[in-house]
Amino acid sequence: MNIARTSALMHNSTEEPNRPFSLREGGQPEMRRRSGSWSGANESEEEIEAMNLARNNRLLINSTVTEQGSSVSQAEEKMRRKLRFFFMNPIEKWQAKRRFPFKFIVQLIKIVLVTAQLWWFAKGRYGHINYTWDNRISFSHLFLRDWDPMREVDTYPPATGPMALYKIDDFFDTIDFAALGYANLTNSIGPYYYPTIDNTITPMEFCMKNYKEGIIFGFNESYVFNSEIVESCVNLTFPVNATEFSSAEYLSKKNVSINFSALVSASLNFAIKTVNFRSAGPISPPDCYRFDIEIDFDNSDHDGQMMLSLDAQATRLYCNGVAKYNSDSMVGSVLRTLMNVTVIVICSISLILCSRALIRAQQLKWETVRFFKTTYGKELSSKGKMEFINFWYIMIIANDLLIISGSAIKEEIERKVRQFGGDQWNICSLLLGTGNLLVWFGVLRYLGFFKTYNVLILTLQRAAPRVARFSLCALIIYAGFTFCGWLILGPYHMKFRSLSTTSECLFSLINGDDMFATFSIMSEKSMMLWWFSRIYLYLFIALFIYVVLSLFISLIMDAYETIKCYYQEGFPKSDLMEFVSQCTEPPSSNRFRTDSFTNDLTDLLKWLWCCRRNPVIDGDDEPILQ
């Protein structure tokens, strides 16, 4: 029998209404009677063979469809369980597969260690900053003429005006006072020494910045001016324990003349070394510092007032000394090192676990995308894809990197591996402080597993987009008030003298802080601007307190009410969550233990490096890459 005839017979057998063979529910062939006799009695052997072949083909097709349907159904259930397990919290995962919550335990340990480390470092940093600040106050008394102790206390409004010079003689007298104080350094109470190996005095450096040309002829209102800045320096030398020094005569001998009309600024620079035994006692060893002192004379405004200030930058040096400590000092040093190393190790483990979790999440996302395409013929929605991005893990990775970097710098500072200045202390504190802040933010993730605490997180998440849009509109109005107040009220009101202080003043007014003082400080030199300040302040306070803040609160409350309704009526679900929600098996089901949910990194590498990307469903197995 040829193929064409076989196909024709198969076609006829399927279309004939009274076909001689049919399938029962059990899949067994059945003989039908035709005209009171068996239908196959008068058929030729070829026709009977063709009909048998057609029957076998139908059986094969039905069996294949049934097996494929069963295979697809099993793959769907397995994918649902796999996704359900992925979105479980640590407690549910423990119930499902007795999987130990490593990341959760690591985060708890990290919170305790990082907080203890920050507390330890904060005490040391406070001592360091307090030490450098106290030395700056001492230098002000030793090297600044007419220094007033009232300036040592920060008050608002300031109790005294700015420290400034108004006469030429005061300018030279200030330099002479600093030079004599430096020459008689041994008279100071503090252990201050000159920055040389043999403790010999070094010259002070006097530098000036002048306009290239700046000559004023006031009698006929004329001048010669060139705005180019020219910098020049000269060393001031004098003997140790000198009792007299005239900078005016010294500069005159050096052929250095000062034209105050063209003088922009001047500075007096010198360095001092000191050793700090620390008030902490035997717990920590002494430190050696070099203070780079700079006395600034600022004449950039050319308004007859030359501003005077002193700054001291501390740099820690290597110490060569013989010291005897109690045994506790070695224990404290070992404990600090052990704390730093432990924090680095714990944060490294947390970094590896969270990075691995993010990689596995992306692998599962691409596997789910391929499954949806193959099984349902559609693309997974963007909202469904975003379910696989865990921003908590990203935040944890960020704080791990910050804490590891800060702990490494902290260890170098404490072990005195190299010279460190104030900037290194600030960088270290910035890294550790920001990292610790994010670590405590991460605690909210675990509180979110409980309904009562999760309301706050969901409310903030729900309100964030609308609050951001509303804040942008409010910021535009706020910027308008800020620039207007800075321009108009700045010359007459101390809180509006710069753009930053103007913004800080307005933000304080929004929160009801210091309102009466803001009204009363306004100068009455211009009554027109005085009345404008009243209208300006009343309008700003009424608009932002009664309108903007009220709307801001209403947005938060609306989001809160929406979350409450979601808890009662159910949260909106993405297509991915709808698919996962069909898995109703409890976490304690044995199905989660029997399934093998593995997400090897090799699967992702195979997918990225051009292996065949068509997923295949192989019986009971999950989709794999060919």
Side-chain angles (χ1 to χ4, degrees):
M1 182 186 298
N2 55 30
I3 298 176
R5 183 179 176 184
T6 303
S7 300
L9 289 174
M10 291 173 60
H11 180 72
N12 293 332
S13 65
T14 57
E15 292 183 349
E16 186 178 358
N18 295 323
R19 59 182 181 273
F21 291 93
S22 65
L23 290 175
R24 294 177 181 173
E25 292 181 359
Q28 299 297 328
E30 179 186 26
M31 294 292 292
R32 290 186 178 181
R33 294 178 63 89
R34 182 182 296 174
S35 302
S37 63
W38 295 106
S39 59
N42 298 323
E43 298 289 342
S44 65
E45 294 181 358
E46 293 182 355
E47 291 177 348
I48 292 174
E49 184 180 353
M51 286 187 290
N52 289 334
L53 180 61
R55 181 197 63 184
N56 294 333
N57 288 337
R58 288 196 300 272
L59 288 172
L60 180 61
I61 292 172
N62 292 335
S63 176
T64 303
V65 171
T66 303
E67 291 178 359
Q68 288 181 351
S70 176
S71 177
V72 171
S73 178
Q74 292 178 8
E76 287 181 358
E77 292 300 323
K78 190 168 184 178
M79 178 58 72
R80 284 193 183 96
R81 289 195 299 272
K82 189 172 185 177
L83 293 172
R84 171 75 183 283
F85 181 80
F86 174 78
F87 289 110
M88 286 181 181
N89 59 47
I91 299 177
E92 292 176 338
K93 288 183 178 180
W94 168 258
Q95 296 175 352
K97 299 187 68 174
R98 292 296 186 265
R99 176 175 292 182
F100 189 77
F102 289 102
K103 291 191 289 292
F104 175 70
I105 299 300
V106 167
Q107 297 307 314
L108 291 181
I109 296 174
K110 188 174 73 173
I111 290 172
V112 176
L113 291 179
V114 168
T115 304
Q117 182 196 42
L118 182 139
W119 176 82
W120 206 335
F121 180 74
K123 292 187 64 177
R125 172 174 165 75
Y126 175 80
H128 170 77
I129 297 300
N130 189 57
Y131 174 74
T132 56
W133 175 261
D134 291 344
N135 276 276
R136 194 183 71 84
I137 298 299
S138 300
F139 297 149
S140 298
H141 281 276
L142 292 175
F143 307 120
L144 286 184
R145 181 171 169 266
D146 297 332
W147 173 259
D148 189 352
M150 289 292 295
R151 304 181 186 276
E152 301 170 13
V153 181
D154 293 330
T155 58
Y156 185 83
T160 59
M163 192 171 187
L165 305 176
Y166 301 91
K167 298 180 179 179
I168 296 177
D169 291 341
D170 293 339
F171 175 80
F172 289 108
D173 290 343
T174 301
I175 298 177
D176 297 344
F177 184 86
L180 292 176
Y182 186 59
N184 296 273
L185 195 61
T186 55
N187 294 332
S188 63
I189 295 177
Y192 300 131
Y193 305 93
Y194 299 112
T196 54
I197 297 178
D198 54 355
N199 194 32
T200 57
I201 191 171
T202 58
M204 304 177 72
E205 185 181 41
F206 178 72
C207 296
M208 295 184 297
K209 292 183 179 179
N210 298 273
Y211 291 123
K212 191 171 185 179
E213 289 184 333
I215 303 175
I216 298 176
F217 304 99
F219 58 90
N220 59 356
E221 299 84 26
S222 60
Y223 59 85
V224 177
F225 179 68
N226 186 340
S227 61
E228 181 181 352
I229 300 295
V230 178
E231 184 175 1
S232 59
C233 295
V234 61
N235 290 332
L236 304 181
T237 58
F238 37 81
V240 179
N241 298 327
T243 57
E244 293 182 359
F245 179 77
S246 175
S247 56
E249 296 179 0
Y250 184 89
L251 293 176
S252 177
K253 294 179 180 179
K254 295 287 185 177
N255 297 323
V256 177
S257 61
I258 300 177
N259 181 8
F260 288 92
S261 299
L263 180 64
V264 177
S265 64
S267 63
L268 194 61
N269 306 302
F270 54 99
I272 288 176
K273 286 183 179 181
T274 184
V275 177
N276 178 26
F277 283 160
R278 293 180 180 266
S279 60
I283 296 179
S284 55
D287 282 333
C288 300
Y289 291 93
R290 184 188 72 244
F291 285 95
D292 297 314
I293 302 173
E294 181 178 4
I295 301 176
D296 293 322
F297 303 85
D298 186 6
N299 193 42
S300 57
D301 291 338
H302 287 87
D303 54 359
Q305 185 183 57
M306 179 179 290
M307 309 301 295
L308 181 63
S309 63
L310 182 145
D311 189 24
Q313 294 293 332
T315 302
R316 198 175 67 181
L317 306 175
Y318 294 109
C319 279
N320 297 316
V322 178
K324 295 182 180 180
Y325 312 110
N326 294 336
S327 59
D328 294 340
S329 63
M330 293 299 298
V331 175
S333 177
V334 172
L335 288 178
R336 283 194 299 269
T337 300
L338 181 62
M339 173 71 73
N340 297 332
V341 173
T342 305
V343 168
I344 293 175
V345 171
I346 291 295
C347 291
S348 300
I349 295 174
S350 173
L351 177 64
I352 294 172
L353 292 177
C354 293
S355 300
R356 187 187 65 170
L358 288 178
I359 294 174
R360 288 186 170 184
Q362 295 308 304
Q363 288 180 259
L364 183 58
K365 181 185 75 172
W366 293 117
E367 183 180 345
T368 306
V369 169
R370 294 193 299 272
F371 179 83
F372 268 67
K373 284 183 179 180
T374 304
T375 307
Y376 303 113
K378 68 174 185 178
E379 184 75 22
L380 186 64
S381 65
S382 299
K383 185 177 180 180
K385 293 179 181 178
M386 290 296 294
E387 299 284 353
F388 292 96
I389 301 178
N390 195 323
F391 291 99
W392 291 109
Y393 286 161
I394 296 176
M395 186 183 70
I396 291 174
I397 290 174
N399 69 59
D400 286 334
L401 294 174
L402 291 173
I403 293 173
I404 291 173
S405 302
S407 299
I409 298 176
K410 177 177 179 291
E411 180 64 18
E412 289 187 353
I413 292 176
E414 292 176 346
R415 296 184 63 183
K416 306 177 184 179
V417 177
R418 56 190 177 92
Q419 295 184 4
F420 274 94
D423 291 339
Q424 284 75 18
W425 285 84
N426 294 333
I427 293 173
C428 182
S429 62
L430 179 64
L431 293 175
L432 292 179
T434 307
N436 189 271
L437 173 66
L438 296 180
V439 167
W440 281 98
F441 278 175
V443 178
L444 294 176
R445 173 175 180 264
Y446 301 102
L447 292 179
F449 296 147
F450 304 95
K451 176 182 176 181
T452 305
Y453 301 102
N454 197 33
V455 173
L456 172 61
I457 302 174
L458 294 178
T459 301
L460 295 176
Q461 183 180 357
R462 175 74 180 180
R466 286 182 291 177
V467 168
R469 291 190 292 267
F470 178 77
S471 299
L472 178 61
C473 298
L475 182 62
I476 295 175
I477 303 175
Y478 184 83
F481 274 96
T482 302
F483 285 108
C484 176
W486 177 40
L487 174 64
I488 299 176
L489 304 181
Y492 302 95
H493 200 298
M494 64 179 302
K495 290 188 176 183
F496 292 83
R497 287 179 180 173
S498 66
L499 189 62
S500 62
T501 56
T502 301
S503 177
E504 293 160 3
C505 173
L506 295 180
F507 190 79
S508 299
L509 292 177
I510 293 176
N511 295 277
D513 180 37
D514 209 16
M515 286 190 179
F516 180 75
T518 304
F519 280 93
S520 61
I521 292 176
M522 180 65 188
S523 174
E524 298 182 2
K525 292 182 179 179
S526 174
M527 291 305 299
M528 177 183 67
L529 295 183
W530 187 88
W531 281 107
F532 173 82
S533 68
R534 265 51 189 169
I535 298 174
Y536 170 86
L537 292 174
Y538 279 123
L539 180 61
F540 176 82
I541 293 172
L543 178 62
F544 274 85
I545 292 182
Y546 304 137
V547 179
V548 174
L549 287 185
S550 299
L551 291 176
F552 185 85
I553 294 173
S554 67
L555 291 177
I556 304 294
M557 293 304 300
D558 181 67
Y560 176 71
E561 293 297 330
T562 303
I563 296 300
K564 288 178 60 179
C565 292
Y566 284 165
Y567 270 112
Q568 297 174 358
E569 302 174 1
F571 286 82
K573 297 179 180 179
S574 62
D575 53 352
L576 177 65
M577 291 294 104
E578 288 287 351
F579 176 77
V580 176
S581 63
Q582 297 179 21
C583 180
T584 58
E585 297 178 359
S588 58
S589 174
N590 290 329
R591 301 296 300 272
F592 291 103
R593 301 183 188 180
T594 57
D595 289 337
S596 177
F597 299 153
T598 58
N599 278 321
D600 295 331
L601 185 60
T602 55
D603 292 340
L604 178 62
L605 298 178
K606 289 180 180 179
W607 182 82
L608 291 176
W609 272 274
C610 301
C611 291
R612 287 177 294 175
R613 303 179 185 178
N614 297 326
V616 173
I617 301 176
D618 185 13
D620 294 338
D621 292 338
E622 61 189 72
I624 60 175
L625 291 174
Q626 285 188 342

